[in-house]
Amino acid sequence: PDGNIEFLGREDFQVKVHGHRIELGEIEAALTQHPLVRTALVTAQGKSRTNKRLVAYVVPAEPETINGHSSSSPLTDAFHHEGESDYGNAVITDPIKRLEFKAKQPGLRQDNFDAYIQLLRPAPDDPLKKMYAGRSSKRSFLHEPIAFEKFSNFLNCVGELRLDSVPKYRYGSAGGLYPVQLYLYVKSNRVQGMEEGTYYYHPQQHRLFVISRKATIDQHLQFPVNRELFGESAFSLFLVVQFDAIKPLYGTSSRDFCLLEAGLMTQLLESSAADNQLGLCQIGKLKDHGTVKSLFKLNETQAVLHSMVGGAPSDLSMSQMVKTDAEAGRSKGSLISELRQFVQKKLPNYMVPANFVVLEKLPLSANGKLDRNALPEIGDQVLGQGDAPRTETEKAIAQVFQEVLQISQIGTDLNFFDLGSDSVEVVIIHRKLNQVLGDFPLLAMFEHPTVSRLARSIKTESNGKHSFAETEDRARKQKEALTRQNKSRARA
């Protein structure tokens, strides 16, 4: 009415970043193709057109709906029991809140009983301490091959033993049916005398039957929080139920008995692992049961109940081996790393977001539409991979990148070109680095495109010319000079 026109921006969300016209919807579409992403939103942020950065806001898919299927065990989906509640989406996912919840020990009754009888408690001698410590989860493993004899003794705990011609096991099973069987995946060169592949353990014959030679179970079948652990392990164990072996006798109660049997087997395997200087960690759910069933050639009447990974535990203290839920927060970093690699395969480099922000949900306006203006600003930080720079050379390299690209933070393992650096900026950065660290070829920045790798490369090149200590000292002095120069410009 007053004659003013307000420019609201492009309706198609096309932006220009480092000279490239980018349709944000294309990046969002690529991100939502990943099974761990429920929805995604991409924006371009930056104080000026010369330092625009693509930022992806991602809402992870709930574990229960990954790939459109339930990720829980087939047995746990059957029905609720007395005393159970359907918590739905109320499951606590925040690592700190999970720790707080566990610290309350909610499983203990809090009644004010009128009387009690104190039982005698034995002194915690060494065997008792060993038993408790041995059953703890191990999350770090050696890469040396496990002795075949040790591995054989470990598996023998779930094998059959005949006493007076009667088959016996060290754990119970409903009706003596033993419908839960053990399957294994062994990695290459991790158990002496065994090739990589999938195997079935025959409890009567104490033999491993080869199912698939050279079969590989990709770490992406695990949820992000478990991938690093799976990558370090030497082998994986899978407890598989054969429903046809129990349902004819127990019907709908089969679920409960199978879960009990799987629990007894898990406890026994953990104890046997400790006795044979091995370690296990329970994983439980997998992201894709279908692929695992295919690798083990299971039929429709079989299902994976539970899984574990194992190996020879590294020489870490117990506090280092047993991680808390707070450390599971690293899964967010694992998800970001995986998404970055995922979109790099689908999009050109200039369309790969420099930043990924994981949100519980995207902000909505009052009328229920996406509100881009309410997205959290990340400012000029680049939350890249790696630690903060440590050596003087790393700090000098990082400072030049931060100054030229107008960012306040860069991780030591973040690829320079993930920042959207164009050829002009690379030349400027190279020239400034030559002033600070001495001459080195421009090609080195393409061959070693991270702070840590470039620093190591420069250290190697300096050998024979001058000592690394001299390089570090020169880097420190040049960095101090740059800092003074920038302060002088600011005052001016």
Side-chain angles (χ1 to χ4, degrees):
D2 62 0
N4 288 312
I5 296 176
E6 182 181 359
F7 178 67
L8 299 177
R10 295 184 64 102
E11 195 173 48
D12 59 0
F13 300 113
Q14 189 182 94
V15 297
K16 191 171 184 179
V17 178
H18 294 287
H20 298 283
R21 292 194 179 278
I22 298 171
E23 178 61 55
L24 298 179
E26 290 185 37
I27 308 174
E28 294 167 355
L31 283 168
T32 53
Q33 290 177 26
H34 195 285
L36 291 180
V37 175
R38 186 169 69 193
T39 186
L41 197 64
V42 180
T43 65
Q45 294 185 11
K47 297 177 181 178
S48 66
R49 65 181 182 87
T50 59
N51 72 332
K52 286 285 186 183
R53 297 285 180 268
L54 292 173
V55 180
Y57 296 88
V58 176
V59 178
E62 294 292 334
E64 290 77 15
T65 58
I66 289 176
N67 289 333
H69 302 286
S70 172
S71 65
S72 57
S73 165
L75 294 183
T76 59
D77 295 335
F79 48 84
H80 291 298
H81 293 271
E82 183 179 358
E84 291 184 355
S85 299
D86 186 0
Y87 286 93
N89 293 324
V91 174
I92 301 172
T93 57
D94 180 84
I96 303 302
K97 292 181 179 179
R98 288 174 66 88
L99 282 176
E100 292 174 347
F101 181 81
K102 289 199 294 186
K104 295 177 183 177
Q105 295 183 288
L108 301 178
R109 286 191 64 167
Q110 304 297 329
D111 307 50
N112 294 319
F113 294 102
D114 295 331
Y116 66 86
I117 298 174
Q118 180 65 56
L119 300 175
L120 301 176
R121 186 192 298 270
D125 55 10
D126 289 340
L128 184 61
K129 292 178 181 178
K130 182 180 179 181
M131 183 179 68
Y132 273 83
R135 208 207 62 78
S136 62
S137 295
K138 305 298 187 289
R139 303 183 65 94
S140 182
F141 304 103
L142 299 173
H143 284 242
E144 290 78 4
I146 298 169
F148 184 74
E149 181 181 3
K150 183 182 295 186
F151 193 65
S152 300
N153 292 338
F154 157 61
L155 295 178
N156 189 53
C157 69
V158 291
E160 179 187 282
L161 178 65
R162 289 191 173 267
L163 299 177
D164 299 326
S165 299
V166 178
K168 293 290 184 181
Y169 290 83
R170 292 172 59 184
Y171 59 97
S173 177
L177 296 173
Y178 296 95
V180 182
Q181 298 285 292
L182 181 64
Y183 289 73
L184 298 89
Y185 164 62
V186 178
K187 293 183 180 178
S188 178
N189 299 319
R190 299 301 293 273
V191 177
Q192 289 178 355
M194 292 189 64
E195 294 181 332
E196 181 174 29
T198 55
Y199 299 83
Y200 165 64
Y201 174 73
H202 198 295
Q204 287 184 336
Q205 302 175 13
H206 190 49
R207 292 175 179 172
L208 287 172
F209 286 92
V210 179
I211 299 175
S212 299
R213 295 184 185 275
K214 304 296 184 182
T216 299
I217 294 184
D218 190 87
Q219 65 177 7
H220 290 88
L221 290 179
Q222 304 286 346
F223 288 105
V225 69
N226 293 324
R227 285 175 190 162
E228 182 180 354
L229 175 60
F230 178 83
E232 283 202 9
S233 63
F235 58 86
S236 299
L237 306 178
F238 298 86
L239 299 180
V240 176
V241 60
Q242 172 58 269
F243 287 115
D244 286 351
I246 187 171
K247 278 190 173 182
L249 298 189
Y250 290 96
T252 57
S253 297
S254 299
R255 167 190 183 275
D256 303 298
F257 291 128
C258 288
L259 290 175
L260 284 171
E261 185 171 330
L264 292 171
M265 293 178 71
T266 299
Q267 176 81 11
L268 189 57
L269 285 163
E270 286 184 326
S271 298
S272 179
D275 292 340
N276 289 281
Q277 294 80 50
L278 298 176
L280 294 180
C281 184
Q282 298 186 48
I283 296 297
K285 296 180 180 180
L286 297 170
K287 194 177 74 174
D288 188 350
H289 283 275
T291 301
V292 175
K293 290 183 69 171
S294 175
L295 288 169
F296 287 113
K297 298 181 180 179
L298 305 180
N299 60 39
E300 292 303 314
T301 65
Q302 295 173 294
V304 179
L305 291 181
H306 194 51
S307 68
M308 293 164 275
V309 296
S314 60
D315 296 327
L316 299 176
S317 66
M318 192 59 61
S319 62
Q320 290 173 304
M321 287 182 179
V322 184
K323 295 189 177 182
T324 66
D325 277 344
E327 291 175 281
R330 295 175 59 187
S331 63
K332 188 174 291 187
S334 300
L335 173 61
I336 290 173
S337 177
E338 180 173 336
L339 291 181
R340 189 185 300 279
Q341 296 174 20
F342 182 76
V343 295
Q344 282 174 340
K345 296 177 182 178
K346 294 181 172 292
L347 301 171
N349 284 337
Y350 64 85
M351 293 182 69
V352 177
N355 296 80
F356 289 80
V357 180
V358 179
L359 302 175
E360 291 185 3
K361 60 182 180 180
L362 295 178
L364 301 178
S365 62
N367 59 4
K369 295 183 178 180
L370 286 174
D371 187 356
R372 292 175 179 266
N373 294 326
L375 290 167
E377 288 280 347
I378 64 166
D380 57 356
Q381 289 190 348
V382 176
L383 306 178
Q385 299 111 309
D387 302 320
R390 294 179 295 272
T391 68
E392 293 298 330
T393 303
E394 288 182 348
K395 292 176 182 178
I397 294 171
Q399 181 167 338
V400 171
F401 269 90
Q402 290 162 189
E403 177 186 336
V404 174
L405 300 180
Q406 299 180 42
I407 56 178
S408 63
Q409 178 181 320
I410 178 173
T412 54
D413 295 329
L414 177 66
N415 191 304
F416 300 146
F417 301 101
D418 287 344
L419 302 173
S421 307
D422 58 30
S423 56
V424 175
E425 289 171 330
V426 169
V427 172
I428 294 173
I429 291 170
H430 177 253
R431 186 169 63 244
K432 286 182 174 290
L433 287 176
N434 278 338
Q435 295 172 359
V436 175
L437 301 173
D439 293 340
F440 66 91
L442 178 62
L443 182 62
M445 294 185 61
F446 293 88
E447 294 177 336
H448 311 283
T450 69
V451 170
S452 58
R453 287 177 56 186
L454 185 58
R456 287 196 297 270
S457 171
I458 293 173
K459 174 184 176 180
T460 302
E461 288 293 326
S462 69
N463 289 340
K465 298 178 182 179
H466 43 75
S467 69
F468 182 56
E470 292 173 347
T471 302
E472 291 279 274
D473 184 60
R474 182 167 62 174
R476 179 181 57 78
K477 292 178 180 178
Q478 291 284 1
K479 191 179 71 162
E480 291 174 353
L482 277 174
T483 302
R484 290 194 298 270
Q485 187 179 35
N486 290 335
K487 288 181 179 179
S488 299
R489 289 175 180 172
R491 287 194 296 270

